[in-house]
Amino acid sequence: MNIFSKKPNPKGIEKEIGTLQLEEKKLVAEIKKTAKTGNEAATKTLARQLVRLRQQIAKLQSSRAQMRGIATHTQAMHAQSSVAVGMKGATKAMSAMNKQMAPEKQAKVIREFQKQSAQMDMTTEMMSDAIDDALDDDEAEDETEDLTNQVLDEIGVDVASQLSSAPKGRIAGKNTEGVGSSGVDELEKRLAALRNP
């Protein structure tokens, strides 16, 4: 089995670091045990192995950090690529919209709409005035008469009976003075009666 043919991955590196750290603990215990026996040569050999083991652990930890950095960088690049693709699509869509909605054409359409709208408002106003003029005289007279009759009915005055008893024709010029004063007196009495029912 060739250990150099394996592709390193974060989980494999984590596993190797854990294994080497266990080995380090065992080696430290063995160095202490050998040192107690007084075997200086064996202690130095084990100490060199410990230094190399710790260097190997440091290298693996550095590799793990580099792999995480590369993964983060790759994710950032992928995100930037997605944003760039999205911006490219948005740019194309905006360009197409600008071509379809040329500002000159839109301004012309708006001016034409305003012109037609003003013309329609004037036509509507003229038609409304003409209709009001045609209907105003007849309706105003009818409404005035209806309203007058309603008010008089409410206060109890019967206009028709009073008009039928009123004298018809012209009054001679000689008697106008005498009739006028008695007619005025009578009207004043009726008005007073209407005010105080």
Side-chain angles (χ1 to χ4, degrees), residues 20-175:
L20 291 177
Q21 286 173 339
L22 285 175
E23 194 67 33
E24 178 185 15
K25 288 180 184 177
K26 290 178 187 177
L27 195 57
V28 169
E30 194 173 335
I31 289 172
K32 287 180 183 178
K33 186 178 178 183
T34 308
K36 285 182 184 178
T37 62
N39 189 348
E40 195 174 314
T43 304
K44 284 185 178 182
T45 304
L46 290 174
R48 280 190 204 118
Q49 286 180 352
L50 181 61
V51 169
R52 289 186 187 125
L53 186 64
R54 286 182 176 169
Q55 288 174 347
Q56 183 63 27
I57 291 172
K59 285 180 183 178
L60 285 174
Q61 288 173 337
S62 175
S63 295
R64 177 182 62 188
Q66 286 177 350
M67 289 180 74
R68 286 182 180 166
I70 291 170
T72 303
H73 186 68
T74 303
Q75 288 175 345
M77 287 177 61
H78 180 68
Q80 287 176 349
S81 175
S82 297
V83 168
V85 168
M87 288 178 69
K88 183 178 178 182
T91 302
K92 284 182 181 179
M94 288 169 54
S95 176
M97 286 299 291
N98 284 337
K99 285 179 183 176
Q100 287 181 357
M101 297 181 66
E104 300 85 23
K105 289 180 183 178
Q106 293 302 316
K108 184 179 177 182
V109 168
I110 290 170
R111 283 193 301 271
E112 184 64 26
F113 175 79
Q114 289 173 338
K115 179 182 169 187
Q116 293 300 325
S117 179
Q119 189 175 7
M120 188 174 80
D121 288 345
M122 288 186 349
T123 303
T124 302
E125 188 175 334
M126 288 172 51
M127 291 294 291
S128 180
D129 288 346
I131 290 171
D132 287 347
D133 288 345
L135 298 177
D136 194 30
D137 293 336
D138 294 339
E139 286 182 12
E141 285 181 28
D142 291 343
E143 285 183 37
T144 303
E145 189 175 329
D146 289 344
L147 187 61
T148 304
N149 288 337
Q150 181 183 358
V151 170
L152 292 176
D153 285 344
E154 287 175 6
I155 60 174
V157 176
D158 186 11
V159 176
S161 65
Q162 289 181 357
L163 288 178
S164 65
S165 65
K168 295 180 182 160
R170 285 189 108 174
I171 302 175
K174 297 177 188 174
N175 296 335

